[in-house]
Amino acid sequence: MSEALDALIVMAYRQLKRFRRGRARLVSSVVNPIIWIVFFGLGWSNVFNFPMARAIFGGLDYLSFLTPGVVAMSVFTASFIGGITVIWDKQFGFLKEVLVAPAPRWATILGRIIGDSLIAVLQGLIILGLSFLVAHSLNPWGVPASMFYMLILSLAFTGVGVSLALKITSMEAFQMIISFLMLPLVFLSGAFYPLKYMPDWMKIIAYVNPLTYTVDGIRYWLTGVSTFNPLLDLAVLAGLAAIALVAAARLFSKTTLD
Amino acid sequence: MSQEKDGFAVVVEGLVKRYGRVVAVDGVSFRVGYGEVFGFLGPNGAGKTTTIHVLATLLRPDGGRVLVAGRDVVRDPVGVRRSIGVVFQDPSLDGELSGWENLYLHGRIYGLRGRVLEERIEEMLRFVELWEYRDRLVKHYSGGMRRRLEIARALLHRPRILFLDEPTLGLDPQTRAHIWDYIRKLRGEMGVTVFLTTHYMEEAEALCDRIAIIDHGKIIAEGTPDELKKMAGNDIVYLKIREAKPGVCGFFEDLVMECKELPGGRVALKVKDAVKALPRILLRARDRGLDVLEASYHRPSLNDVFLLLTGREIREEGPMDMIRAMVMSRRWRR
Ligand SMILES: Nc1ncnc2c1ncn2[C@@H]1O[C@H](COP(=O)(O)OP(=O)(O)OP(=O)(O)O)[C@@H](O)[C@H]1O
Ligand SMILES: [Mg+2]
């Protein structure tokens, strides 16, 4: 068991080490959410700068409503894209080194998922830090709880990303899936506008979109405003994470070079 | 333990592996004893890499039985993985990490840690002469350095059996000589069993105790390098003689196994060992007043064996020499 733990830790360490070396990834994944906050958020916050508007956003100013969503979005994106590193490893051959090792496969894959999740959370925290500069109703005491949600979220979606990457051979196909899935999921998560104003068919999708519950949970801890019970949010996320991690471990255990 | 009892590091019986309709490995059987250096020699696409991947538990066989270190690759892959080190044909290092970090990562995945791990890393990096470059990122290593690092990594956890898939493919002669040295030391000093593949016949000959020649997924010949070369026949000495008269062959009767006069004053003499026979043949020629203008000899190589068995070259290298030699040796058989 301690051997499995060693393998897990060192695989997480590898992901962090590689991340530290490749700063470009950090910059590119932080810039995107910043663009949303500045050009989308600041712009609309002036539009919604009248008393009635606050009622739409559960009593919040628009930036305070939006930023928790953008934080969730940035963690979600970073996690999902973490799966790409598995494809890299396939193409550059390092995956074979892991596959031929006697260490339990669940441990090596879980290690790298944890490593990538920590990276995603770090990116989320950077965005969260910036959010405090522009949004006025964020509660600093909610940060630890939000971090916890972010971590579960990123375990879930790194797990999903890794599972997809294990099934998919080409980088192009993976990128296609990402662009096909990611933006709609983000828009249908309640990050940019409240769920209750969505058309019914959109609401249905939003309700089955796990990102919805993350946005809701993080928004609850940072602003006190939420649609669902934050414990329900957590339960949905944890359930998804459990499924995704088990799936990734199973897939990786069966992985061969066929 | 069973592997001590039956005494074989690798036992392969009737191995079959298909990719869709392509039969990459077609009923291959062989055994490798502990401490042996065993080589798979074959041209591109022969099925060498596929075989190694099955032995290393990374591909599932479609038929047959494979035991590595006494364990079945299908039923106990983890047991097999514990006993082996693998250097793949294609690179499998992490380019974003340094040489030292690559070994550290490997060691930790294999359950090594602390002082023991650090000492082994140093030992292995010194063994492949990369200690000075330990902190350089692997993406800045040369091809030869990467290859050596992969060998160091595959040995770090002290496997009993080492798989090397084309260990010197595409390397310059100097690096190749280095790697050959390491492989010889492995067997000599560390007692590691080595299974290697190559399509360089000099490499197979220089390193292997036993060689299996593989083509189109089948083993077409197996034996020690000497045994295999015997299959292609004996050494042949060629002389070119000024104003050769018919009947020169008579002069050499007691020295050679067979003699043939060729056009242009040339004579071909079949002998057991050309290196020993040549001086005597030249002496005899002088005694008989023959003016020898040129003398050369041809030793059958593994390539000749391959040619003999398949009608093709393992590799297009110096084809003219080979064709000439073959024309000669064909003549013997008529
Ligand atoms: N993933 C794959 N999918 C389909 N066919 C494959 C695959 N890998 C190998 N093959 C085919 O199987 C056969 C054996 O390939 P293999 O790589 O084992 O040969 P090899 O002896 O290692 O050749 P080389 O000297 O070029 O490395 C070839 O015909 C090859 O085209
Ligand atoms: Mg090959």
Side-chain angles (χ1 to χ4, degrees):
Chain A
M1 195 59 203
S2 94
E3 275 184 24
L5 200 61
D6 266 17
L8 188 151
I9 290 169
V10 81
M11 283 302 289
Y13 161 86
R14 169 191 182 239
Q15 296 307 106
L16 293 168
K17 192 114 203 170
R18 279 175 66 96
F19 180 72
R20 255 191 53 200
R21 298 259 161 82
R23 297 258 165 72
R25 201 172 128 202
L26 178 66
V27 173
S28 69
S29 52
V30 166
V31 162
N32 202 21
I34 292 176
I35 289 176
W36 278 100
I37 290 177
V38 174
F39 297 110
F40 190 85
L42 283 179
W44 281 109
S45 78
N46 280 345
V47 176
F48 293 127
N49 196 9
F50 55 95
M52 286 284 288
R54 286 192 169 235
I56 303 175
F57 302 111
L60 297 173
D61 62 288
Y62 185 60
L63 277 169
S64 300
F65 174 85
L66 174 73
T67 47
V70 175
V71 168
M73 174 187 89
S74 69
V75 176
F76 165 72
T77 316
S79 310
F80 213 88
I81 286 178
I84 271 196
T85 60
V86 172
I87 296 185
W88 281 106
D89 279 350
K90 262 191 209 171
Q91 292 190 344
F92 286 99
F94 183 77
L95 200 69
K96 287 201 288 271
E97 151 80 351
V98 181
L99 290 176
V100 85
R105 296 265 179 93
W106 63 261
T108 41
I109 202 69
L110 195 60
R112 79 179 292 153
I113 290 174
I114 290 173
D116 278 333
S117 298
L118 293 176
I119 293 166
V121 170
L122 178 77
Q123 295 175 10
L125 285 178
I126 293 173
I127 302 303
L128 184 54
L130 295 170
S131 302
F132 274 96
L133 299 178
V134 294
H136 307 299
S137 324
L138 297 184
N139 173 14
W141 297 108
V143 171
S146 322
M147 260 176 78
F148 185 64
Y149 279 63
M150 281 150 70
L151 183 65
I152 306 293
L153 165 77
S154 64
L155 286 173
F157 278 98
T158 311
V160 171
V162 165
S163 303
L164 274 178
L166 284 172
K167 285 260 134 196
I168 291 165
T169 37
S170 80
M171 193 78 80
E172 290 76 18
F174 190 80
Q175 260 150 2
M176 210 182 75
I177 290 182
I178 283 186
S179 53
F180 194 74
L181 266 179
M182 249 171 13
L183 258 192
L185 284 187
V186 168
F187 275 111
L188 293 174
S189 68
F192 301 130
Y193 36 77
L195 291 178
K196 65 176 173 189
Y197 298 104
M198 287 181 185
D200 282 344
W201 65 270
M202 263 162 92
K203 249 186 221 162
I204 293 170
I205 303 175
Y207 281 159
V208 296
N209 176 6
L211 197 53
T212 305
Y213 301 89
T214 321
V215 171
D216 195 64
I218 294 178
R219 187 176 283 140
Y220 172 82
W221 290 106
L222 290 177
T223 67
V225 172
S226 75
T227 311
F228 310 107
N229 183 328
L231 288 178
L232 171 72
D233 294 331
L234 187 60
V236 170
L237 275 182
L240 178 70
I243 293 169
L245 294 181
V246 169
R250 286 233 172 132
L251 278 173
F252 198 55
S253 297
K254 288 199 207 111
T255 298
T256 62
L257 297 178
D258 276 281
Chain B
M1 280 169 129
S2 66
Q3 65 261 41
E4 316 304 347
K5 205 171 62 196
D6 62 31
F8 286 101
V10 178
V11 177
V12 175
E13 282 164 8
L15 173 62
V16 175
K17 177 67 198 175
R18 294 186 203 92
Y19 297 106
R21 283 218 201 108
V22 180
V23 185
V25 178
D26 192 4
V28 156
S29 304
F30 61 92
R31 286 168 182 232
V32 182
Y34 279 106
E36 212 178 357
V37 177
F38 184 89
F40 250 26
L41 174 66
N44 290 124
K48 305 182 294 293
T49 298
T50 306
T51 306
I52 281 214
H53 284 168
V54 172
L55 267 52
T57 74
L58 298 187
L59 280 178
R60 201 169 272 273
D62 293 314
R65 201 167 72 110
V66 179
L67 301 181
V68 175
R71 288 157 206 277
D72 190 300
V73 293
V74 177
R75 267 180 281 155
D76 185 12
V78 175
V80 171
R81 288 174 198 148
R82 276 188 219 289
S83 317
I84 63 171
V86 187
V87 174
F88 296 101
Q89 179 172 346
D90 301 320
S92 64
L93 296 162
D94 187 337
E96 300 296 325
L97 301 182
S98 70
W100 194 92
E101 286 163 347
N102 265 281
L103 294 200
Y104 177 78
L105 188 65
H106 181 91
R108 291 294 303 270
I109 292 177
Y110 280 75
L112 300 169
R113 48 158 74 194
R115 279 287 298 277
V116 176
L117 176 55
E118 280 172 29
E119 280 167 15
R120 288 227 196 139
I121 292 175
E122 179 168 352
E123 180 192 335
M124 289 326 303
L125 282 176
R126 287 194 190 280
F127 176 62
V128 298
E129 296 157 277
L130 287 175
W131 179 245
E132 286 157 68
Y133 305 100
R134 61 187 176 277
D135 292 328
R136 191 184 286 187
L137 291 192
V138 166
K139 65 178 172 189
H140 299 137
Y141 273 25
S142 72
M145 290 163 81
R146 284 181 208 184
R147 215 67 196 137
R148 278 144 60 197
L149 186 65
E150 298 218 45
I151 292 176
R153 188 180 66 177
L155 289 169
L156 190 74
H157 57 284
R158 306 233 166 116
R160 308 171 66 194
I161 305 166
L162 180 68
F163 293 108
L164 298 166
D165 196 359
E166 312 244 13
T168 65
L169 186 64
L171 300 181
D172 60 88
Q174 208 187 339
T175 313
R176 178 178 303 173
H178 273 252
I179 289 182
W180 286 8
D181 265 356
Y182 306 145
I183 296 173
R184 290 197 185 101
K185 276 189 197 152
L186 281 183
R187 201 251 312 262
E189 292 166 21
M190 305 187 201
V192 180
T193 306
V194 179
F195 177 101
L196 65 85
T197 75
T198 182
H199 61 257
Y200 298 121
M201 52 198 166
E202 324 85 71
E203 182 160 287
E205 212 177 322
L207 297 175
C208 298
D209 301 315
R210 276 189 315 125
I211 297 169
I213 299 183
I214 180 168
D215 187 39
H216 293 308
K218 291 193 163 112
I219 291 181
I220 55 176
E222 193 192 321
T224 65
D226 280 340
E227 283 166 4
L228 288 173
K229 281 186 290 182
K230 290 248 164 62
M231 293 175 65
N234 297 79
D235 293 4
I236 301 163
V237 172
Y238 297 103
L239 298 180
K240 187 170 179 188
I241 297 163
R242 193 199 299 273
E243 291 163 18
K245 293 169 213 77
V248 284
C249 267
F251 299 154
F252 304 104
E253 239 164 17
D254 57 322
L255 293 179
V256 305
M257 301 161 71
E258 226 178 305
C259 174
K260 195 142 203 147
E261 287 161 34
L262 307 172
R266 287 157 58 84
V267 184
L269 307 137
K270 195 193 231 177
V271 295
K272 262 234 154 55
D273 184 353
V275 178
K276 294 218 172 89
L278 193 55
R280 278 185 242 146
I281 290 170
L282 290 177
L283 255 168
R284 176 67 56 83
R286 208 184 56 181
D287 289 349
R288 298 298 163 102
L290 296 178
D291 188 2
V292 177
L293 297 172
E294 291 171 14
S296 64
Y297 68 87
H298 174 73
R299 275 216 146 143
S301 66
L302 292 173
N303 199 52
D304 295 329
V305 181
F306 190 77
L307 204 52
L308 182 73
L309 294 171
T310 67
R312 288 179 294 117
E313 302 268 335
I314 291 184
R315 198 159 58 106
E316 317 289 46
E317 203 174 34
M320 283 319 290
D321 292 349
M322 289 304 158
I323 288 163
R324 218 179 294 138
M326 227 21 230
V327 170
M328 298 296 181
S329 54
R330 284 252 166 82
R331 283 198 185 130
W332 292 114
R333 250 165 264 122
R334 266 190 220 129

